[in-house]
Amino acid sequence: MTVDMTWLQLVLLLCAVLLVLAAILGRVCFLAGRHREHRRFEEMRRAQHSIFDNSVSVTEVEQGLIEVMPDAVMIVNGQAQIRYCSPGAEALGLVSGDSLNSPEITDILSRSVSDGLLRERELEVPVPKAVGAALAQSDAYGQASGRGLKAGTALPSGKLFLRVRSGMIARNLYAVLIRDVSEQRSFEEMRRDFVTNVSHELKTPAGAISLLAETVHDAADDPQAVRYFSSRISKESERLTELVGRLIDLQKAQDEERHPDDIEEVNVPDLVREAAGENQVQAEAKHIELYLSIDGRQIDLGDPWPSGLTPEQVLVSVNRDALKTAVKNLIENAVRYSSEHTRVVIGVSIVDESVILRVVDQGIGIPQEALGRIFERFYRVDPARSRATGGTGLGLSIVKHCVEECGGTISVWSREGEGSTFTITLPLSH
């Protein structure tokens, strides 16, 4: 009996132990299930929120990042089908419907698809016709305003320089980042041209003076030759002096800061009369007539004011010397590049709280492709003709900086064989 009771107690004890183990195992399984469920919940929560901040959604962050990025963005699949396209990418004309229409970018993308590596390349691509037509007709190029091409604005060219970067961002999804570096490449070309031109412009008269001096020395026994070559030395010296003076004027115009003490109220028609008067001798030498147009009424420089418009109505608050320099240079260019027995008209009018000053000539005009560059330092449409007329290639660059110093803008309209019109716009003084 005692033995049977002992075995019964052992069996009961064993059952109790098994029950406890089963309870513990159940609890462990329950906690493991809860942990897996919590982990799945956290994964889902993280998938819905940004990795940068749990308080915002992934969609918000995606949209915000794309808006602040300097690059145009396209998200495509491995077959180059568009899944997302930012406004900047659409403006470049690289998308047609839901497909890429740029073979160059498609080639970069295919390489990223083939090996999953990042690809980056700079491309030179033609401007799509629709984009080029839209640019050509935009107000930035003076079509709507009628004032021509604004200084510092390049004419639309037939090509774009794009830096393209592509890479995989998820399974069968690829990002294509596009940055338009056309302006940067244009600036680099301008800088190279400037260095080349300034070196050439300084070397030419300096070399000529040196060569002429040697010639004078060799011809010391020939008074007529000495007089001839001495006059040539004098001419080249004047050219070199003018070039250095122009460079100094340009540097001053670029570095000049607008101080309140330099600003004064200037009567524009009176200033125009003064600037035109300083070009009167050159104009008379070529039998070119200078006229002043006040609010559409043309008068001679020495004529009295037309009725209905007093000088006090055309006042601007500017640096007088800077504005006079700009106007004088424009009139000087108009006379220099005009044929004999033509006329130059300097017009002054008020439009929408602005003073509009135009210098109109009947000269040789400027080719369409050169309009975007004529305000560059040392740029010349026809270097041979410019040297024949004594130009330095710095006048319009000085004009641009002087007008900007006065708080205004300058633009140009021109057509070969018909003449040019330069327009200065200044805010009216109140």
Side-chain angles (χ1 to χ4, degrees):
M1 185 66 179
T2 303
V3 175
D4 292 339
M5 288 298 294
T6 302
W7 278 106
L8 181 59
Q9 290 174 351
L10 289 173
V11 170
L12 292 174
L13 180 61
L14 181 60
C15 289
V17 171
L18 290 174
L19 289 173
V20 171
L21 291 175
I24 293 173
L25 182 60
R27 182 63 178 174
V28 170
C29 291
F30 173 76
L31 292 176
R34 288 287 300 274
H35 178 70
R36 285 195 299 271
E37 182 180 349
H38 179 72
R39 188 170 59 187
R40 284 198 302 270
F41 174 78
E42 284 295 319
E43 289 175 353
M44 292 176 61
R45 188 179 68 83
R46 284 196 297 269
Q48 295 173 352
H49 291 82
S50 165
I51 61 173
F52 306 117
D53 190 340
N54 292 335
S55 64
V56 292
S57 67
V58 173
T59 304
E60 290 180 87
V61 173
E62 286 177 346
Q63 189 67 35
L65 280 174
I66 290 173
E67 289 178 357
V68 301
M69 286 179 65
D71 304 325
V73 180
M74 290 187 292
I75 306 299
V76 300
N77 61 18
Q79 292 73 44
Q81 293 178 319
I82 304 296
R83 291 291 177 262
Y84 172 82
C85 182
S86 70
E90 293 178 353
L92 292 172
L94 303 173
V95 177
S96 179
D98 61 350
S99 303
L100 270 170
N101 62 7
S102 171
E104 297 87 354
I105 297 179
T106 303
D107 177 65
I108 297 176
L109 177 64
S110 64
R111 294 175 184 271
S112 293
V113 172
S114 64
D115 55 19
L117 298 178
L118 285 172
R119 288 287 188 278
E120 187 168 355
R121 190 189 306 170
E122 186 168 311
L123 305 175
E124 182 179 333
V125 300
V127 176
K129 292 182 179 179
V131 176
L135 284 173
Q137 295 300 322
S138 68
D139 188 48
Y141 300 104
Q143 302 300 322
S145 66
R147 295 172 187 170
L149 183 69
K150 183 179 177 182
T153 304
L155 282 171
S157 64
K159 58 187 177 182
L160 292 173
F161 293 92
L162 306 176
R163 181 167 292 279
V164 180
R165 182 182 178 91
S166 70
M168 185 172 66
I169 58 173
R171 183 178 179 182
N172 199 35
L173 276 183
Y174 299 83
V176 180
L177 307 180
I178 305 168
R179 178 171 296 184
D180 187 354
V181 294
S182 303
E183 185 176 351
Q184 180 181 346
R185 296 294 169 263
S186 176
F187 175 77
E188 291 172 354
E189 182 182 357
M190 288 168 53
R191 183 175 58 184
R192 288 193 298 270
D193 289 347
F194 170 72
V195 172
T196 301
N197 290 335
V198 71
S199 301
H200 177 75
E201 294 300 331
L202 291 173
K203 284 170 60 178
T204 300
I209 291 172
S210 176
L211 182 61
L212 290 168
E214 292 179 7
T215 306
V216 169
H217 181 270
D218 295 338
D221 297 333
D222 187 347
Q224 186 175 356
V226 170
R227 284 194 297 270
Y228 172 75
F229 289 115
S230 297
S231 65
R232 290 285 306 276
I233 290 176
S234 177
K235 185 176 179 180
E236 292 296 334
S237 299
E238 290 174 2
R239 180 180 168 192
L240 184 59
T241 302
E242 182 186 2
L243 181 59
V244 173
R246 290 277 190 169
L247 281 171
I248 294 172
D249 290 342
L250 177 61
Q251 189 63 39
K252 286 173 61 179
Q254 288 179 315
D255 296 340
E256 192 73 34
E257 295 184 2
R258 299 179 68 189
H259 298 290
D261 294 342
D262 298 331
I263 306 302
E264 58 181 297
E265 283 199 337
V266 176
N267 177 264
V268 177
D270 283 348
L271 183 140
V272 167
R273 286 179 188 267
E274 186 179 339
E278 295 184 12
N279 287 281
Q280 188 72 39
V281 174
Q282 295 89 329
E284 290 176 351
K286 296 182 68 174
H287 307 287
I288 293 175
E289 298 176 331
L290 296 181
Y291 286 99
L292 180 62
S293 174
I294 304 295
D295 203 23
R297 287 165 285 186
Q298 187 170 297
I299 61 174
D300 289 331
L301 292 181
D303 286 353
W305 285 95
S307 60
L309 185 65
T310 61
E312 290 75 17
Q313 292 179 263
V314 196
L315 294 176
V316 293
S317 297
V318 296
N319 182 319
R320 179 183 176 84
D321 291 339
L323 182 58
K324 182 182 175 182
T325 298
V327 177
K328 180 183 176 183
N329 283 0
L330 288 180
I331 300 174
E332 180 182 336
N333 275 358
V335 172
R336 177 175 289 168
Y337 296 106
S338 292
S339 302
E340 292 189 358
H341 304 286
T342 57
R343 62 172 52 188
V344 173
V345 179
I346 308 99
V348 179
S349 58
I350 300 175
V351 179
D352 298 331
E353 298 298 314
S354 295
V355 176
I356 309 298
L357 193 157
R358 287 187 173 94
V359 178
V360 185
D361 65 56
Q362 300 171 327
I364 58 177
I366 303 168
Q368 183 74 13
E369 63 273 11
L371 287 176
R373 301 195 60 187
I374 60 172
F375 292 98
E376 295 176 21
R377 293 167 293 182
F378 290 109
Y379 180 79
R380 288 169 168 167
V381 177
D382 185 351
R385 177 152 191 158
S386 295
R387 291 192 182 94
T389 57
T392 62
L394 291 172
L396 289 179
S397 182
I398 293 172
V399 169
K400 172 178 175 287
H401 288 287
C402 287
V403 171
E404 290 176 348
E405 180 191 341
C406 294
T409 60
I410 182 168
S411 54
V412 58
W413 174 93
S414 187
R415 188 172 293 168
E416 283 189 278
E418 296 184 15
S420 304
T421 300
F422 286 85
T423 303
I424 296 175
T425 304
L426 298 165
L428 190 65
S429 177
H430 294 284

